[in-house]
Amino acid sequence: SSLIRGNTISENLISGIFIGYTDDSVIIEENMIEGNVKHGIDCENSSTRIEHSSINSNGCAGIRYRNGSPTIECNVISGNQGDGDSGGGILCDWFGTSGRVLIIGNLIEGNSSYSGGGISCYSARDNSPIITHNSIRNNSAALGGGIYCDWGSSPLIFNNLICGNQATDAGGGLFCEDLCSPTLLNNTIAGNTAQNGPAGIFSYAMHSLVVKDNILWGNTSVAGPGDQLLPDYGEITFNCIQDWSNGGNSNISADPMLVDGPLGAYYLDPSSPCIDAGSQSAEDASLSEMTTQADGTPDTGTVDMGFHYPVPEE
């Protein structure tokens, strides 16, 4: 096993760290990785853990991963450029037949690329990422300012805050195409913009799409039809969707009443129609120890729609 801890790795002419083709576990933690000409961290075929590091202002993706079973946890990934191609913050690139990426608890902010300013899931096949408990905000791309999925990638996108991202074409929050099958559960997708619609979720040539227990609110398309999502594919149930006009399937269009709280601006007012309005119990949703309330009350009973924050420590 290898441990890379407590270093500043900056201004190198290729990538800051490269890890390739090893069965050994590698831990990268508590590092500052910034200003490298290519990727901050470039990994292939390994089970690396990347955690509690700052990965900033690199010339390609902050983290590029191909194959293996990596865990990317509790990092700040910001200001990376994606080299004008795919994946500004994290690029999950051409996965094979083993392993699965876990992307959990990161701040992914201010990254840019052509597709997937925050995260790009490209050709991940059967081993698509699990993307959970992240704040994905203020990223930019032509397609998918927050997240981009392509060529059969089918990520689980669970309990993320996807806000303030920009697309110069479509899909400010999320853009999916080419036989992808993403599942979106309990996310708040808000305040994203796109030049062409829709600005919340754009889905094209999909295999299937599951959108359940989410809040899509305040997303704005400048020129295209529809601000929130393209509802032509898949299962769209138990969501709060601004200006939703398709009716049925337990979706609502009432104001979710988002308010400020100790960790951000996307808590629910106690009288919000999104409280106790989800598809299952909070316990079954694995959210009973988290909260949508500014006072930190854990979610109980039927799960609340949208993103859940950690309960503040006493």
Side-chain angles (χ1 to χ4, degrees), residues 170-296:
L174 175 71
F175 186 103
C176 300
E177 62 179 338
D178 292 334
L179 301 180
C180 294
S181 300
T183 298
L184 287 87
L185 307 174
N186 282 103
N187 303 282
T188 294
I189 302 172
N192 302 287
T193 61
Q195 183 63 37
N196 301 307
I201 300 172
F202 182 91
S203 55
Y204 171 74
M206 298 290 294
H207 180 68
S208 66
L209 174 69
V210 176
V211 182
K212 186 180 294 184
D213 298 334
N214 302 278
I215 296 173
L216 285 85
W217 202 263
N219 302 293
T220 305
S221 176
V222 176
D227 293 340
Q228 305 307 315
L229 81 164
L230 187 68
D232 295 342
Y233 304 91
E235 177 186 352
I236 301 173
T237 58
F238 291 92
N239 302 284
C240 178
I241 306 172
Q242 187 174 1
D243 299 325
W244 179 254
S245 59
N246 289 34
N249 297 325
S250 300
N251 296 298
I252 63 174
S253 58
D255 187 341
M257 305 175 69
L258 300 169
V259 297
D260 293 343
L263 297 177
Y266 295 95
Y267 290 87
L268 298 178
D269 185 270
S271 57
S272 169
C274 296
I275 293 176
D276 294 334
S279 65
Q280 59 184 324
S281 70
E283 184 175 1
D284 288 344
S286 300
L287 292 170
S288 59
E289 296 182 2
M290 304 189 78
T291 184
T292 62
Q293 305 291 297
D295 65 3

Side-chain angles (χ1 to χ4, degrees), residues 6-246:
N7 304 281
T8 296
I9 302 171
S10 64
E11 300 181 16
N12 297 286
L13 296 179
I14 307 181
S15 296
I17 297 174
F18 175 79
I19 298 170
Y21 301 95
T22 175
D23 293 329
D24 293 336
S25 60
V26 179
I27 299 174
I28 301 172
E29 65 179 13
E30 299 176 10
N31 298 284
M32 177 76 72
I33 303 168
E34 61 182 9
N36 299 287
V37 171
K38 295 194 71 176
H39 308 290
I41 302 173
D42 189 0
C43 300
E44 296 191 11
N45 297 80
S46 66
S47 300
T48 302
R49 291 188 62 90
I50 303 169
E51 55 192 17
H52 300 288
S53 294
S54 294
I55 304 160
N56 307 319
S57 303
N58 297 284
C60 295
I63 300 171
R64 173 186 172 271
Y65 226 106
R66 179 179 293 180
N67 295 335
S69 302
T71 298
I72 301 170
E73 183 173 4
C74 295
N75 302 283
V76 176
I77 303 168
S78 66
N80 302 287
Q81 298 303 308
D83 196 25
D85 191 9
S86 189
I90 299 174
L91 172 57
C92 303
D93 183 18
W94 196 268
F95 275 58
T97 58
S98 64
R100 194 171 191 184
V101 176
L102 174 61
I103 301 171
I104 178 171
N106 302 280
L107 172 59
I108 302 170
E109 179 177 30
N111 304 284
S112 63
S113 66
Y114 176 77
S115 57
I119 300 173
S120 180
C121 308
Y122 185 78
S123 298
R125 300 181 183 179
D126 295 330
N127 310 106
S128 300
I130 298 171
I131 302 170
T132 183
H133 303 312
N134 301 284
S135 180
I136 303 168
R137 67 191 191 194
N138 302 328
N139 303 284
S140 61
L143 305 174
I147 300 174
Y148 174 79
C149 303
D150 192 10
W151 281 97
S153 179
S154 303
L156 170 62
I157 303 171
F158 166 59
N159 197 50
N160 299 278
L161 184 59
I162 304 171
C163 63
N165 302 287
Q166 301 178 3
T168 56
D169 192 346
L174 175 71
F175 186 103
C176 300
E177 62 179 338
D178 292 334
L179 301 180
C180 294
S181 300
T183 298
L184 287 87
L185 307 174
N186 282 103
N187 303 282
T188 294
I189 302 172
N192 302 287
T193 61
Q195 183 63 37
N196 301 307
I201 300 172
F202 182 91
S203 55
Y204 171 74
M206 298 290 294
H207 180 68
S208 66
L209 174 69
V210 176
V211 182
K212 186 180 294 184
D213 298 334
N214 302 278
I215 296 173
L216 285 85
W217 202 263
N219 302 293
T220 305
S221 176
V222 176
D227 293 340
Q228 305 307 315
L229 81 164
L230 187 68
D232 295 342
Y233 304 91
E235 177 186 352
I236 301 173
T237 58
F238 291 92
N239 302 284
C240 178
I241 306 172
Q242 187 174 1
D243 299 325
W244 179 254
S245 59
N246 289 34

